């Protein structure tokens, strides 16, 4: 690498790092060379720093404000686990270190972290083995359904072609089952938000490969009939899948493996501290019981008789590779550090506070807003803005009102089976003051919907863009570079 001084487009002097091995302009065949100079902006370092700093200040994050999104909630992201993930011994480890394959000295620490994390996850969930490789919750689901398919193939269960999914499941569940090649059957919920067991009985037959349940469901409630459901599915040699993305609701209080489930995934980027958003990063470890263990993806971390750790690829029945290397390692380090930091009691308290906080908000809001299922909720609860909608103020309008109050809107219009849905998860780490402030703003929104419903159409007033066409904005992203003083 050498420093090259050059005259820049507009005649100002600049310099860049150059590499003499890279072909220069003169070596590019003329038919590919551009005729005009590229219209690149020319800006000083200070302008660039200010531009990005201003952009970062516009970012909404849990470091700045309350974020009570339901379902895909960003939970606790302590700075401590960030520090651990950045330790050179972890961060500078290259996945192609030759020792990784043979488990020799340089990677022993990393392999030990993975091995112990798997053991702890087994302990927490009641399963016999885990793979930490899936790169997101949905990827964990796909892995789990592939394990289900491998199980049926190995047993010669040739007729299996359906996966049953209640309407209270997360939206990724039917998508994952379909990607894995299954057709899905939807089961409606009963009036308490549980699965309609009679409807389930009417569709269970030899062609059913398994059932995927989100627990607690996306209505934020626990399924009281799990035993009966598991028995029914196992009676036709089906596999019970537990979507445990929001394990924070039950951590240390109950174990999916003890409830009759055969396979589950966890979202480490929700329950175990990695900040996520905008599509990543994620990590969806999958746990299984003895029925499915031999089908787990390779490689697997093992501890040899001499105490050394290694990656093992010798599993003839494995579904094979589902990720390059061994998953999102830095997320797994954060999860490990978080578990060490909290310990057994601390993890149990996580669940206690998640449930307490959600029930606190539910109790405070269930007058002004219609609560979907009036029963104890788990980590989140679902309201409907049906009453407000009669005044012309819809869930989306309340969400836009909250933006002006510097509160991230809750999840709206999901679950889709609830009209004008508003789904709220405060998470385990919010203070009473923060939750009271949120409750007060939600009550203000309700009051305002009675006195001045039309004003809602103007919200948000404090944002650079007020009401974009959200679908178009997501599909037709404009990332043009502009400076505050640009004309
Ligand atoms: C977030 C979530 C998922 C999907 O996880 P991703 O990492 O976004 O793929 C699946 N199920 C439930 C219940 C979730 O909350």
């Amino acid at each position: 690498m050498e420093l090259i001084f050059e005259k820049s487009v507009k005649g100002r002097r600049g310099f860049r790092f150059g590499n003499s091995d890279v072909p220069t302009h003169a070596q590019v065949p003329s038919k590919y060379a551009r005729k005009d100079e590229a219209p690149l902006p020319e800006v000083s370092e200070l302008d660039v720093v200010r531009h990005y700093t201003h952009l970062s200040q516009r970012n909404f994050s849990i470091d700045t404000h309350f974020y009570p999104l339901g379902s895909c909630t960003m939970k606790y992201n302590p700075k401590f686990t960030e520090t651990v993930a950045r330790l050179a011994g972890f961060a500078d480890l290259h996945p192609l270190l030759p020792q990784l394959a043979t488990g020799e000295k340089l990677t022993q620490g990393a392999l030990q972290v993975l091995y112990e994390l798997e053991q702890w996850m087994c302990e927490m969930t009641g399963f016999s083995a885990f793979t930490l490789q899936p790169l997101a919750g949905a990827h964990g689901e796909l892995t789990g359904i592939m394990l289900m398919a491998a199980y049926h193939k190995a047993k010669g269960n040739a007729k299996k072609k359906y996966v049953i999914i209640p309407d209270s499941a997360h939206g990724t569940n039917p998508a994952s089952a379909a990607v894995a090649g299954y057709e899905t059957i939807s089961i409606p919920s009963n009036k308490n938000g549980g699965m309609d067991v009679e409807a389930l009985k009417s569709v269970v037959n030899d062609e059913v490969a398994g059932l995927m349940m989100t627990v607690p469901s996306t209505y934020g409630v626990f399924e009281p009939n799990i035993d009966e459901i598991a028995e029914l599915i196992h009676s036709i040699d089906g596999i019970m899948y537990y979507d445990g993305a929001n394990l924070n609701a039950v951590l240390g209080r109950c174990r999916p493996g003890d409830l009759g489930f055969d396979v589950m995934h966890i979202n480490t980027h929700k329950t175990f501290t990695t900040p996520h958003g905008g599509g990543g990063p994620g990590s969806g470890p999958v746990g299984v019981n003895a029925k499915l263990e031999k089908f787990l993806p390779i490689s697997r971390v093992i501890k040899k008789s001499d105490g050394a750790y290694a990656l093992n690829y010798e599993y003839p029945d494995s579904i094979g590779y589902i990720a390059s290397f061994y998953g999102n390692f830095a997320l797994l380090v954060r999860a490990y550090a978080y578990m060490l930091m909290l310990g057994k009691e601390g993890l149990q308290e996580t669940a206690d506070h998640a449930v307490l906080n959600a029930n606190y908000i539910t109790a405070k809001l269930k007058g002004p807003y219609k609560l979907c299922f009036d029963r104890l909720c788990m980590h989140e609860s679902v309201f409907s803005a049906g009453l407000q909608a009669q005044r012309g103020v819809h869930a989306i309008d309340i969400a836009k009102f909250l933006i002006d109050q510097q509160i991230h809107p809750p999840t709206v219009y999901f679950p889709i089976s609830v009209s004008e849905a508003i789904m709220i998860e405060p998470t385990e780490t919010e203070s009473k003051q923060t939750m009271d402030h949120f409750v007060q703003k939600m009550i203000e929104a309700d009051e305002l919907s009675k006195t001045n419903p039309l004003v809602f159409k103007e919200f948000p007033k404090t944002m650079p863009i007020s009401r974009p066409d959200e679908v178009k904005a997501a599909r037709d992203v404009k990332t043009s570079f502009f400076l505050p003083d640009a004309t």
Side-chain angles (χ1 to χ4, degrees):
M1 198 76 102
E2 59 192 295
L3 207 55
I4 301 173
F5 276 90
E6 60 176 17
K7 227 169 163 338
S8 69
V9 191
K10 291 176 190 158
R12 281 188 232 150
R13 271 205 175 278
F15 56 84
R16 64 182 166 92
F17 287 103
N19 183 336
S20 40
D21 297 337
V22 174
T24 61
H25 185 256
Q27 290 168 285
V28 175
S30 60
K31 65 174 172 174
Y32 297 124
R34 57 184 310 140
K35 304 284 176 285
D36 312 307
E37 292 291 350
L40 297 175
E42 208 166 315
V43 285
S44 70
E45 176 184 332
L46 196 52
D47 286 339
V48 172
V49 169
R50 284 182 187 150
H51 173 73
Y52 284 107
T53 305
H54 286 144
L55 281 185
S56 77
Q57 287 168 339
R58 273 192 197 156
N59 261 351
F60 194 99
S61 78
I62 53 169
D63 281 351
T64 55
H65 298 99
F66 185 43
Y67 208 124
L69 199 65
S71 189
C72 289
T73 322
M74 185 99 73
K75 281 134 194 163
Y76 184 32
N77 299 158
K79 301 296 172 243
F80 166 73
T81 60
E82 289 301 310
T83 310
V84 176
R86 282 171 171 71
L87 292 176
F90 294 129
D92 294 349
L93 208 57
H94 194 283
L96 286 181
L97 271 177
Q99 289 80 1
L100 201 56
T102 51
E104 281 161 20
K105 287 202 183 78
L106 279 178
T107 52
Q108 280 300 296
L111 290 173
Q112 184 179 351
V113 164
L114 299 175
Y115 184 84
E116 290 181 356
L117 186 59
E118 284 184 12
Q119 300 294 308
W120 295 347
M121 285 185 174
C122 287
E123 172 70 29
M124 271 178 232
T125 59
F127 285 111
S128 58
F130 254 85
T131 173
L132 304 174
Q133 296 196 41
L135 302 169
H139 194 204
E141 292 167 27
L142 177 64
T143 306
I145 301 297
M146 286 165 71
L147 297 172
M148 182 189 288
Y151 169 83
H152 290 309
K153 190 165 174 220
K155 289 201 75 180
N157 290 342
K159 286 205 274 178
K160 305 284 190 195
K161 59 176 180 178
Y162 297 108
V163 172
I164 300 178
I165 304 175
D167 66 1
S168 61
H170 195 73
T172 46
N173 289 190
S176 299
V179 170
Y182 285 107
E183 288 175 47
T184 59
I185 300 174
S186 178
I187 301 292
S189 297
N190 60 29
K191 61 181 186 339
N192 298 318
M195 201 188 305
D196 181 337
V197 180
E198 292 310 314
L200 176 66
K201 282 183 186 157
S202 72
V203 296
V204 168
N205 62 39
D206 282 354
E207 292 185 331
V208 170
L211 179 142
M212 289 180 94
M213 266 174 91
T214 301
V215 189
S217 75
T218 56
Y219 298 137
V221 295
F222 198 78
E223 171 58 61
N225 298 316
I226 284 182
D227 285 348
E228 191 183 352
I229 294 167
E231 207 175 298
L232 202 57
I233 296 300
H234 286 150
S235 73
I236 45 110
D237 202 16
I239 294 291
M240 287 284 288
Y241 186 99
Y242 184 105
D243 179 334
N246 301 298
L247 195 68
N248 66 329
V250 298
L251 206 55
R253 292 292 172 194
C254 83
R255 307 195 310 167
D258 299 337
L259 298 175
F261 288 90
D262 303 297
V263 48
M264 77 173 294
H265 84 269
I266 293 173
N267 278 24
T268 67
H269 51 293
K270 290 178 189 166
T271 301
F272 297 112
T273 91
T274 297
H276 66 283
S283 156
V286 169
V288 292
N289 61 17
K291 268 192 217 172
L292 300 176
E293 188 171 337
K294 65 178 178 175
F295 306 113
L296 280 177
I298 48 172
S299 56
R300 291 176 59 187
V301 187
I302 55 162
K303 190 174 181 179
K304 297 192 287 192
S305 52
D306 63 356
Y309 300 94
L311 290 179
N312 190 4
Y313 295 81
E314 304 306 315
Y315 297 96
D317 296 312
S318 164
I319 58 168
Y321 293 94
I322 49 112
S324 52
F325 308 117
Y326 203 86
N328 268 333
F329 180 65
L331 274 72
L332 302 169
V333 172
R334 287 182 181 89
Y336 182 85
Y338 182 66
M339 290 178 195
L340 272 184
M341 179 176 98
L342 289 187
K344 196 172 162 189
E345 288 75 28
L347 291 172
Q348 221 162 38
E349 263 179 53
T350 297
D352 297 356
H353 285 281
V355 173
L356 180 64
N357 286 359
N359 279 287
Y360 180 71
I361 287 190
T362 305
K364 291 275 180 186
L365 289 182
K366 81 178 184 187
Y369 292 89
K370 187 169 164 282
L371 182 61
C372 283
F373 302 104
D374 198 357
R375 52 181 274 205
L376 214 58
C377 70
M378 299 298 288
H379 61 303
E380 66 190 5
S381 56
V382 181
F383 290 90
S384 161
L387 289 173
Q388 291 74 15
Q390 286 168 11
R391 304 170 199 137
V393 175
H394 296 269
I396 188 76
D397 302 320
I398 294 165
K400 299 291 184 189
F401 165 85
L402 289 172
I403 291 174
D404 275 348
Q405 309 299 321
Q406 274 93 52
I407 292 172
H408 194 285
T411 298
V412 288
Y413 299 107
F414 183 80
I416 47 178
S417 48
V418 174
S419 83
E420 299 289 341
I422 301 183
M423 181 196 229
I424 302 169
E425 173 172 5
T427 81
E428 55 268 18
T429 42
E430 293 298 340
S431 66
K432 181 168 176 295
Q433 286 85 337
T434 302
M435 292 191 289
D436 285 339
H437 176 71
F438 170 70
V439 165
Q440 183 199 331
K441 292 298 166 189
M442 286 293 284
I443 291 172
E444 271 176 43
D446 173 55
E447 295 295 327
L448 196 57
S449 76
K450 294 175 193 159
T451 55
N452 192 0
L454 284 179
V455 73
F456 277 84
K457 301 297 170 206
E458 295 165 21
F459 299 138
K461 293 181 178 183
T462 56
M463 293 290 124
I465 297 171
S466 182
R467 295 234 181 177
D469 173 339
E470 288 175 13
V471 176
K472 187 167 161 43
R475 295 205 174 142
D476 185 15
V477 179
K478 295 241 184 323
T479 53
S480 57
F481 189 89
F482 67 92
L483 290 168
D485 62 351
T487 47

